[in-house]
Amino acid sequence: MLSYLSKNNTNNNDNNDNNENSDKDILLSLRTLIIDNYDSYTFNLLQLWNSKESLNNVVVIRNDQFSWIEFKENILPYFDNIIISPGPGSPENNTDFGICKNILELDNIPILGICLGHQGIGLTFGGKVTNAKRIMHGRLSSINHDGSFNPNSLFYKIPSPFLAVRYHSLVIDNKELSSELIISAWCSEDENEKNNDLQECSLNAINNSFNIIDTCNDTSNSIKLSIKEANSTIMGLQHVVKPIYGVQFHPESICTEHGFQILRNFQSISREFLIKTRGISIPHQKLPEHIKSLSVVPKNCFKSISDNSENPTTASSSSSSSSYKIIMKILNKELWIDDSSLIFQKIVSVGKSKCGVWWLDSAKLPDPQSRFSYMGSTPTISNSFSTSYDTLSKKLIITYSNNKNNKIFSEEKLSNQTYWDWMSETMQQFNQRIIGLRVLNGINDTNDMNHMNNMNDNQRIPFDFRLGMVGYFGYEMKRESLRSYQQHHDQSSSVYKVPDAAFIFATQAIIFDHVEKRIWLAGLVRNDLKDSNRSKNNCILDIPLGYSFKDFISWINLTEKKLKKLKQSNQSNQLNQPNQLNQFKQLKQLCSIQNIIKTSSTSTNKNNKINNVNINKLNFIPDLIKDLYLGSIEKAQSYIYEGQSYEICLTTQFRASMPKQVVVGIREGIGERGGGRRVEEEVKERGEVLDIFELYQYIRTNNPAPFSALIHFPTEDLSIFSSSPEKFLQIDNKGVIEMKPIKGTIARAKGCFCLRGDGDDGDVPECDKGVQCEMNRKKDDMRRINQLIGDVKEQAENLMIVDLIRNDLSQICLPHTVKVPSLMKIESYETVHQLVTTVQGNLRNDLDCVNVIRGCFPPGSMTGAPKLRSVQLLDELEDYIPRGVYSGCLGYISLHDGTTTGEGGARRGRGTAKFNVIIRTVVIKDGKEISIGAGGAIVYLSNRESEWKEVLLKSQSVLPSVLEFMKDKRIFQ
């Protein structure tokens, strides 16, 4: 399936072998304008240019960014050719197509239309746009053409047929084609044709990836399908006179073969046209800066830290503005405790933490992505703070852990900026003041920082985390991340209210290296040897933050003493663990599809949109009952059929309320909640406090995942228990970003399969409850893996999100560096197998971590594609009920350690970041309101009943743990 990587890169090498480098440079020096029709694949086109330098003359603008008059007079004269991008909707709709209709009426400029642009070409010259016989999204077809030996063809030097990815619901009717247009490519829609050789050829080329082949034709060049056949679809058009070309497929997709050659051919055709008609000498002058600045991806496309000599982050470490050190200490191996949960319970959560406690937990061991875990709290001496933000009111609340200055919290309205802007500026202020990273040299109680060593290559710290912001961006932060997003008025009336974003500023952390079995302690320490808490130089947010050196040493000593005590008492063996073998299986049965949701359309609310679910007397109420969810699937598929979207990630949430006599919080440790109310007083009013740590223990034990997390915000009375298997993104200290989308899920084989007759040998007479039983289970588990691998729908879902993520990264990375090193790899977790892809790129130097996250948010695996249009449709399909925390991302944005890292100038002061996608997650608000989100990607091939079952399957990853916890605590007795 990685045919883009194998075949397109081969094309590049062939060009080098043929000594065509200079010719290629000339072709790529043409001044190209790309018109973006608000698609989520447009910017993948930039990856078809082979270097940063070759993109200097490429500009991308939106289809409604300028009026036609302004565009024609002030922009068009600077360009040599135009590419009209894919996009949602129809070229018949002016809102969807913008100025592209006017562009296609021009006579004197080469134009390439892709998908929507291709359909616009057909419509402009007398053709008819109609619904396709087969809706094709994220699926491969064999493309036939006759241009292999024609230098004036888009398909020059490309074999026929070749594989290309299709994303479309509409086509040009091949029966009503204008005489002005020539069909240059086509494909068959005969689903009955088979060719295993074609599949094997592709599989051998991609190495452990999977194929998505819907039309399997003979690969021999001698076989070509006639477009006159009723089952053929137009895949390419060419105007008989004008230099106008169109392709229905997507040459920029990761799995389309020969995409680079198609672009090269278009540039070559453009060059010849310009020389003949305008007498233009190639190469010519570069685009002027005022034209390049019009691009929607200029250098400063987001408000960010500039990478220049005047930037305070590049100032000398002796600058008076620098006022912090990040100090770490690696503890003796003798202090290692395998059970990190014991340390959280006995050390982290017992101190009074006004701003909250947090644990970024690599719970799935052994796992290559689970090497490090981080946890911390916010005691008074840490001088930390937490934030919560609401996008509708734009209200930001900051709570401080130290109220020595009589400043418990502050509240402000971000009238002229977004929360993303505020976060970026705040992190910038801290990064400007970081002197560097220091490592304790075995000292104990001293006030002399000179006994510390600088970090060096021989003392390389194995993790990128350097303290900073720990928390989440909820899904509703899309309102401030998606440009052109239009908010519906119904969104303001939701009763399900949690902060749209909330973070704790971590000034201390306990860090676990699960591979080396070492514990690190880290702290943000003020550079004030005299411990002057009121030094103006150390005030950010108008209050001193971070530890004094003396207090930090005290914290280290105290933590080491507590670890020694835990080790000596061997309490890790005495920790109360849930019975994960028996009770969890019983609760899984209680949460079976037959019991979790009533299929009746009865409802308990006025809008007839929810119904009760009673499991062990705990009512889980879905936002959308089954009938309504299936109705939303049907409506989503109608939008896909109309061309409004390729894939829509529909979700719902199951909600329940704790019994009146129970509240979930921290039984010991947190001394105050919002408004300064004591827990003890609250217990009198609301009943017993169930410790959030104990509930999380059930979740992490029963469903371990590499990106698990527990975070508690006491002032918001909000607790998040995440068992997420999906990494949203990671930014390392070399400026490399990695994203790992998950699309494609199937349940693991659990229990006994001996008597089910699922195998080739039919039923067996009895189960030995031993080796043979386990062999049968493993056999069925492998059958399910193979079923997932061969599922065209699941693979199409994954491919669509992969191309979407590549598009996101092309706007924040150097486009030619965006790669897909692993495509659709099977990863297995406690309850499910999943298809996981890895996408990487090198970030541009002008963006900090906050704005990188902003540029990719919300996660594409939770929206669909195109992202903007799909998100707008989802608002309606989900009845304008906010998703809240669910579907957002949770993790950290780290401080920079004051050193310059990365090859090629990875920007100093960016820091690092790592976030999961918030799925498989329990959210508890006000100690009582429980919500669990689940959903799935809807494509045109989706089966409604199967999609509903997948929702239930995903909810069962964490719901049984909640019920098991309640059962063990005798909540319902």
Side-chain angles (χ1 to χ4, degrees), residues 222-254:
S222 63
I223 294 182
K224 296 182 181 179
L225 300 177
S226 171
I227 194 62
K228 296 179 181 179
E229 296 179 15
N231 65 343
S232 296
T233 299
I234 299 174
M235 287 288 112
L237 289 173
Q238 178 179 341
H239 196 277
V240 295
V241 177
K242 299 180 180 181
I244 297 179
Y245 301 79
V247 291
Q248 179 64 76
F249 59 88
H250 283 237
E252 79 287 354
S253 172
I254 188 66

mmCIF file of all heavy atoms in Angstrom, residues 222-254:
data_model
loop_
_atom_site.group_PDB
_atom_site.id
_atom_site.type_symbol
_atom_site.label_atom_id
_atom_site.label_comp_id
_atom_site.label_asym_id
_atom_site.label_seq_id
_atom_site.Cartn_x
_atom_site.Cartn_y
_atom_site.Cartn_z
ATOM 1 N N SER A 222 -1.264 -4.560 -22.426
ATOM 2 C CA SER A 222 -2.063 -4.851 -23.612
ATOM 3 C C SER A 222 -3.554 -4.786 -23.344
ATOM 4 O O SER A 222 -4.346 -4.745 -24.273
ATOM 5 C CB SER A 222 -1.712 -6.252 -24.137
ATOM 6 O OG SER A 222 -2.056 -7.239 -23.172
ATOM 7 N N ILE A 223 -3.948 -4.762 -22.045
ATOM 8 C CA ILE A 223 -5.372 -4.737 -21.721
ATOM 9 C C ILE A 223 -5.780 -3.313 -21.365
ATOM 10 O O ILE A 223 -5.262 -2.720 -20.440
ATOM 11 C CB ILE A 223 -5.688 -5.687 -20.557
ATOM 12 C CG1 ILE A 223 -5.431 -7.120 -20.996
ATOM 13 C CG2 ILE A 223 -7.115 -5.523 -20.098
ATOM 14 C CD1 ILE A 223 -5.756 -8.147 -19.950
ATOM 15 N N LYS A 224 -6.727 -2.765 -22.105
ATOM 16 C CA LYS A 224 -7.244 -1.433 -21.819
ATOM 17 C C LYS A 224 -8.756 -1.475 -21.948
ATOM 18 O O LYS A 224 -9.306 -2.143 -22.818
ATOM 19 C CB LYS A 224 -6.662 -0.399 -22.775
ATOM 20 C CG LYS A 224 -5.155 -0.240 -22.636
ATOM 21 C CD LYS A 224 -4.628 0.812 -23.568
ATOM 22 C CE LYS A 224 -3.112 0.937 -23.432
ATOM 23 N NZ LYS A 224 -2.552 1.935 -24.355
ATOM 24 N N LEU A 225 -9.424 -0.746 -21.063
ATOM 25 C CA LEU A 225 -10.884 -0.752 -21.066
ATOM 26 C C LEU A 225 -11.416 0.416 -21.884
ATOM 27 O O LEU A 225 -10.917 1.525 -21.794
ATOM 28 C CB LEU A 225 -11.406 -0.663 -19.621
ATOM 29 C CG LEU A 225 -10.982 -1.809 -18.703
ATOM 30 C CD1 LEU A 225 -11.504 -1.561 -17.306
ATOM 31 C CD2 LEU A 225 -11.481 -3.136 -19.233
ATOM 32 N N SER A 226 -12.408 0.160 -22.655
ATOM 33 C CA SER A 226 -13.016 1.207 -23.464
ATOM 34 C C SER A 226 -13.932 2.059 -22.612
ATOM 35 O O SER A 226 -14.755 1.540 -21.857
ATOM 36 C CB SER A 226 -13.812 0.595 -24.616
ATOM 37 O OG SER A 226 -14.558 1.585 -25.284
ATOM 38 N N ILE A 227 -13.790 3.375 -22.730
ATOM 39 C CA ILE A 227 -14.637 4.273 -21.964
ATOM 40 C C ILE A 227 -16.082 4.185 -22.433
ATOM 41 O O ILE A 227 -17.007 4.623 -21.757
ATOM 42 C CB ILE A 227 -14.111 5.727 -22.067
ATOM 43 C CG1 ILE A 227 -14.779 6.595 -21.009
ATOM 44 C CG2 ILE A 227 -14.368 6.292 -23.462
ATOM 45 C CD1 ILE A 227 -14.490 6.161 -19.623
ATOM 46 N N LYS A 228 -16.279 3.606 -23.592
ATOM 47 C CA LYS A 228 -17.629 3.464 -24.108
ATOM 48 C C LYS A 228 -18.421 2.433 -23.322
ATOM 49 O O LYS A 228 -19.642 2.390 -23.405
ATOM 50 C CB LYS A 228 -17.592 3.079 -25.593
ATOM 51 C CG LYS A 228 -16.983 4.151 -26.486
ATOM 52 C CD LYS A 228 -16.959 3.718 -27.935
ATOM 53 C CE LYS A 228 -16.315 4.788 -28.819
ATOM 54 N NZ LYS A 228 -16.274 4.367 -30.249
ATOM 55 N N GLU A 229 -17.709 1.573 -22.565
ATOM 56 C CA GLU A 229 -18.416 0.583 -21.773
ATOM 57 C C GLU A 229 -19.214 1.269 -20.669
ATOM 58 O O GLU A 229 -18.776 2.248 -20.072
ATOM 59 C CB GLU A 229 -17.420 -0.404 -21.154
ATOM 60 C CG GLU A 229 -16.672 -1.227 -22.189
ATOM 61 C CD GLU A 229 -15.690 -2.175 -21.539
ATOM 62 O OE1 GLU A 229 -15.804 -2.375 -20.315
ATOM 63 O OE2 GLU A 229 -14.821 -2.700 -22.246
ATOM 64 N N ALA A 230 -20.376 0.733 -20.405
ATOM 65 C CA ALA A 230 -21.279 1.375 -19.446
ATOM 66 C C ALA A 230 -20.720 1.376 -18.033
ATOM 67 O O ALA A 230 -21.099 2.208 -17.217
ATOM 68 C CB ALA A 230 -22.632 0.676 -19.475
ATOM 69 N N ASN A 231 -19.818 0.446 -17.726
ATOM 70 C CA ASN A 231 -19.302 0.339 -16.370
ATOM 71 C C ASN A 231 -17.975 1.063 -16.178
ATOM 72 O O ASN A 231 -17.241 0.774 -15.245
ATOM 73 C CB ASN A 231 -19.151 -1.135 -15.979
ATOM 74 C CG ASN A 231 -18.107 -1.842 -16.820
ATOM 75 O OD1 ASN A 231 -17.723 -1.355 -17.883
ATOM 76 N ND2 ASN A 231 -17.644 -2.990 -16.346
ATOM 77 N N SER A 232 -17.635 1.971 -17.076
ATOM 78 C CA SER A 232 -16.386 2.717 -16.958
ATOM 79 C C SER A 232 -16.645 4.127 -16.449
ATOM 80 O O SER A 232 -17.699 4.713 -16.686
ATOM 81 C CB SER A 232 -15.670 2.779 -18.310
ATOM 82 O OG SER A 232 -15.288 1.484 -18.725
ATOM 83 N N THR A 233 -15.662 4.669 -15.732
ATOM 84 C CA THR A 233 -15.756 6.017 -15.167
ATOM 85 C C THR A 233 -14.592 6.852 -15.681
ATOM 86 O O THR A 233 -13.452 6.382 -15.738
ATOM 87 C CB THR A 233 -15.721 5.971 -13.623
ATOM 88 O OG1 THR A 233 -16.841 5.220 -13.162
ATOM 89 C CG2 THR A 233 -15.766 7.364 -13.029
ATOM 90 N N ILE A 234 -14.883 8.092 -16.037
ATOM 91 C CA ILE A 234 -13.845 9.007 -16.510
ATOM 92 C C ILE A 234 -12.898 9.336 -15.364
ATOM 93 O O ILE A 234 -13.307 9.825 -14.320
ATOM 94 C CB ILE A 234 -14.460 10.306 -17.067
ATOM 95 C CG1 ILE A 234 -15.372 9.992 -18.254
ATOM 96 C CG2 ILE A 234 -13.368 11.292 -17.467
ATOM 97 C CD1 ILE A 234 -16.128 11.205 -18.764
ATOM 98 N N MET A 235 -11.614 9.102 -15.584
ATOM 99 C CA MET A 235 -10.589 9.407 -14.592
ATOM 100 C C MET A 235 -9.660 10.534 -15.033
ATOM 101 O O MET A 235 -8.861 11.022 -14.238
ATOM 102 C CB MET A 235 -9.761 8.154 -14.297
ATOM 103 C CG MET A 235 -10.484 7.113 -13.463
ATOM 104 S SD MET A 235 -10.672 7.623 -11.724
ATOM 105 C CE MET A 235 -12.453 7.840 -11.651
ATOM 106 N N GLY A 236 -9.737 10.945 -16.289
ATOM 107 C CA GLY A 236 -8.888 12.024 -16.766
ATOM 108 C C GLY A 236 -9.516 12.719 -17.960
ATOM 109 O O GLY A 236 -10.161 12.092 -18.801
ATOM 110 N N LEU A 237 -9.354 14.053 -18.025
ATOM 111 C CA LEU A 237 -9.875 14.867 -19.127
ATOM 112 C C LEU A 237 -8.786 15.800 -19.636
ATOM 113 O O LEU A 237 -7.882 16.190 -18.888
ATOM 114 C CB LEU A 237 -11.080 15.701 -18.667
ATOM 115 C CG LEU A 237 -12.391 14.975 -18.386
ATOM 116 C CD1 LEU A 237 -13.401 15.941 -17.776
ATOM 117 C CD2 LEU A 237 -12.944 14.335 -19.652
ATOM 118 N N GLN A 238 -8.919 16.180 -20.906
ATOM 119 C CA GLN A 238 -8.007 17.149 -21.512
ATOM 120 C C GLN A 238 -8.786 17.981 -22.517
ATOM 121 O O GLN A 238 -9.548 17.444 -23.325
ATOM 122 C CB GLN A 238 -6.850 16.427 -22.212
ATOM 123 C CG GLN A 238 -5.877 17.340 -22.923
ATOM 124 C CD GLN A 238 -4.748 16.559 -23.566
ATOM 125 O OE1 GLN A 238 -4.486 15.421 -23.205
ATOM 126 N NE2 GLN A 238 -4.077 17.172 -24.538
ATOM 127 N N HIS A 239 -8.623 19.311 -22.451
ATOM 128 C CA HIS A 239 -9.283 20.187 -23.417
ATOM 129 C C HIS A 239 -8.584 20.059 -24.766
ATOM 130 O O HIS A 239 -7.355 19.902 -24.836
ATOM 131 C CB HIS A 239 -9.248 21.638 -22.930
ATOM 132 C CG HIS A 239 -10.199 22.534 -23.648
ATOM 133 N ND1 HIS A 239 -9.898 23.112 -24.861
ATOM 134 C CD2 HIS A 239 -11.463 22.953 -23.335
ATOM 135 C CE1 HIS A 239 -10.913 23.864 -25.260
ATOM 136 N NE2 HIS A 239 -11.881 23.765 -24.349
ATOM 137 N N VAL A 240 -9.364 20.134 -25.836
ATOM 138 C CA VAL A 240 -8.788 19.907 -27.167
ATOM 139 C C VAL A 240 -7.885 21.049 -27.605
ATOM 140 O O VAL A 240 -6.999 20.853 -28.457
ATOM 141 C CB VAL A 240 -9.911 19.688 -28.214
ATOM 142 C CG1 VAL A 240 -10.675 18.406 -27.916
ATOM 143 C CG2 VAL A 240 -10.860 20.889 -28.261
ATOM 144 N N VAL A 241 -8.092 22.254 -27.069
ATOM 145 C CA VAL A 241 -7.307 23.419 -27.486
ATOM 146 C C VAL A 241 -6.555 24.047 -26.315
ATOM 147 O O VAL A 241 -5.348 24.299 -26.396
ATOM 148 C CB VAL A 241 -8.208 24.473 -28.153
ATOM 149 C CG1 VAL A 241 -7.397 25.707 -28.522
ATOM 150 C CG2 VAL A 241 -8.893 23.898 -29.388
ATOM 151 N N LYS A 242 -7.264 24.296 -25.241
ATOM 152 C CA LYS A 242 -6.676 24.985 -24.089
ATOM 153 C C LYS A 242 -5.795 24.029 -23.280
ATOM 154 O O LYS A 242 -6.026 22.821 -23.255
ATOM 155 C CB LYS A 242 -7.775 25.548 -23.193
ATOM 156 C CG LYS A 242 -8.675 26.579 -23.859
ATOM 157 C CD LYS A 242 -9.741 27.070 -22.891
ATOM 158 C CE LYS A 242 -10.650 28.115 -23.536
ATOM 159 N NZ LYS A 242 -11.680 28.610 -22.591
ATOM 160 N N PRO A 243 -4.787 24.574 -22.572
ATOM 161 C CA PRO A 243 -3.922 23.724 -21.727
ATOM 162 C C PRO A 243 -4.594 23.418 -20.391
ATOM 163 O O PRO A 243 -4.095 23.791 -19.324
ATOM 164 C CB PRO A 243 -2.671 24.590 -21.561
ATOM 165 C CG PRO A 243 -3.193 25.996 -21.596
ATOM 166 C CD PRO A 243 -4.346 25.987 -22.576
ATOM 167 N N ILE A 244 -5.738 22.760 -20.469
ATOM 168 C CA ILE A 244 -6.524 22.450 -19.276
ATOM 169 C C ILE A 244 -6.644 20.935 -19.148
ATOM 170 O O ILE A 244 -7.067 20.244 -20.082
ATOM 171 C CB ILE A 244 -7.917 23.098 -19.351
ATOM 172 C CG1 ILE A 244 -7.788 24.630 -19.380
ATOM 173 C CG2 ILE A 244 -8.778 22.668 -18.170
ATOM 174 C CD1 ILE A 244 -9.107 25.364 -19.488
ATOM 175 N N TYR A 245 -6.285 20.423 -17.966
ATOM 176 C CA TYR A 245 -6.244 18.986 -17.720
ATOM 177 C C TYR A 245 -6.940 18.691 -16.397
ATOM 178 O O TYR A 245 -6.911 19.511 -15.466
ATOM 179 C CB TYR A 245 -4.799 18.485 -17.655
ATOM 180 C CG TYR A 245 -4.003 18.754 -18.904
ATOM 181 C CD1 TYR A 245 -3.455 20.015 -19.158
ATOM 182 C CD2 TYR A 245 -3.802 17.743 -19.847
ATOM 183 C CE1 TYR A 245 -2.732 20.265 -20.318
ATOM 184 C CE2 TYR A 245 -3.080 17.987 -21.015
ATOM 185 C CZ TYR A 245 -2.554 19.245 -21.240
ATOM 186 O OH TYR A 245 -1.845 19.497 -22.389
ATOM 187 N N GLY A 246 -7.536 17.517 -16.305
ATOM 188 C CA GLY A 246 -8.191 17.123 -15.066
ATOM 189 C C GLY A 246 -8.001 15.660 -14.763
ATOM 190 O O GLY A 246 -7.907 14.826 -15.669
ATOM 191 N N VAL A 247 -7.930 15.333 -13.480
ATOM 192 C CA VAL A 247 -7.898 13.938 -13.022
ATOM 193 C C VAL A 247 -8.906 13.777 -11.885
ATOM 194 O O VAL A 247 -8.968 14.612 -10.977
ATOM 195 C CB VAL A 247 -6.492 13.505 -12.546
ATOM 196 C CG1 VAL A 247 -5.535 13.420 -13.727
ATOM 197 C CG2 VAL A 247 -5.943 14.433 -11.478
ATOM 198 N N GLN A 248 -9.694 12.716 -11.964
ATOM 199 C CA GLN A 248 -10.691 12.461 -10.933
ATOM 200 C C GLN A 248 -10.056 11.873 -9.675
ATOM 201 O O GLN A 248 -10.515 12.108 -8.567
ATOM 202 C CB GLN A 248 -11.754 11.509 -11.465
ATOM 203 C CG GLN A 248 -12.843 11.145 -10.470
ATOM 204 C CD GLN A 248 -13.665 12.339 -10.049
ATOM 205 O OE1 GLN A 248 -14.512 12.823 -10.790
ATOM 206 N NE2 GLN A 248 -13.413 12.847 -8.841
ATOM 207 N N PHE A 249 -8.996 11.111 -9.818
ATOM 208 C CA PHE A 249 -8.313 10.496 -8.680
ATOM 209 C C PHE A 249 -7.398 11.524 -7.991
ATOM 210 O O PHE A 249 -7.273 12.668 -8.425
ATOM 211 C CB PHE A 249 -7.510 9.275 -9.134
ATOM 212 C CG PHE A 249 -6.462 9.579 -10.171
ATOM 213 C CD1 PHE A 249 -5.181 9.961 -9.813
ATOM 214 C CD2 PHE A 249 -6.764 9.487 -11.535
ATOM 215 C CE1 PHE A 249 -4.216 10.247 -10.766
ATOM 216 C CE2 PHE A 249 -5.801 9.759 -12.504
ATOM 217 C CZ PHE A 249 -4.534 10.147 -12.119
ATOM 218 N N HIS A 250 -6.743 11.099 -6.929
ATOM 219 C CA HIS A 250 -5.894 11.995 -6.139
ATOM 220 C C HIS A 250 -4.421 11.626 -6.319
ATOM 221 O O HIS A 250 -3.922 10.695 -5.673
ATOM 222 C CB HIS A 250 -6.266 11.921 -4.654
ATOM 223 C CG HIS A 250 -7.503 12.673 -4.308
ATOM 224 N ND1 HIS A 250 -7.541 13.678 -3.361
ATOM 225 C CD2 HIS A 250 -8.763 12.580 -4.788
ATOM 226 C CE1 HIS A 250 -8.770 14.156 -3.269
ATOM 227 N NE2 HIS A 250 -9.535 13.497 -4.130
ATOM 228 N N PRO A 251 -3.688 12.350 -7.151
ATOM 229 C CA PRO A 251 -2.264 12.029 -7.354
ATOM 230 C C PRO A 251 -1.417 12.265 -6.113
ATOM 231 O O PRO A 251 -0.312 11.734 -5.999
ATOM 232 C CB PRO A 251 -1.851 12.968 -8.494
ATOM 233 C CG PRO A 251 -2.835 14.094 -8.442
ATOM 234 C CD PRO A 251 -4.119 13.489 -7.981
ATOM 235 N N GLU A 252 -1.926 13.047 -5.163
ATOM 236 C CA GLU A 252 -1.151 13.388 -3.969
ATOM 237 C C GLU A 252 -1.310 12.384 -2.844
ATOM 238 O O GLU A 252 -0.620 12.478 -1.816
ATOM 239 C CB GLU A 252 -1.551 14.781 -3.468
ATOM 240 C CG GLU A 252 -2.852 14.862 -2.670
ATOM 241 C CD GLU A 252 -4.118 14.700 -3.489
ATOM 242 O OE1 GLU A 252 -4.027 14.635 -4.735
ATOM 243 O OE2 GLU A 252 -5.213 14.645 -2.887
ATOM 244 N N SER A 253 -2.204 11.398 -2.980
ATOM 245 C CA SER A 253 -2.420 10.430 -1.907
ATOM 246 C C SER A 253 -1.174 9.579 -1.691
ATOM 247 O O SER A 253 -0.409 9.300 -2.620
ATOM 248 C CB SER A 253 -3.606 9.529 -2.235
ATOM 249 O OG SER A 253 -3.713 8.481 -1.286
ATOM 250 N N ILE A 254 -1.009 9.107 -0.468
ATOM 251 C CA ILE A 254 0.156 8.301 -0.121
ATOM 252 C C ILE A 254 0.210 7.002 -0.910
ATOM 253 O O ILE A 254 1.276 6.427 -1.120
ATOM 254 C CB ILE A 254 0.173 7.997 1.407
ATOM 255 C CG1 ILE A 254 1.478 7.332 1.837
ATOM 256 C CG2 ILE A 254 -1.012 7.136 1.811
ATOM 257 C CD1 ILE A 254 2.667 8.213 1.698
#
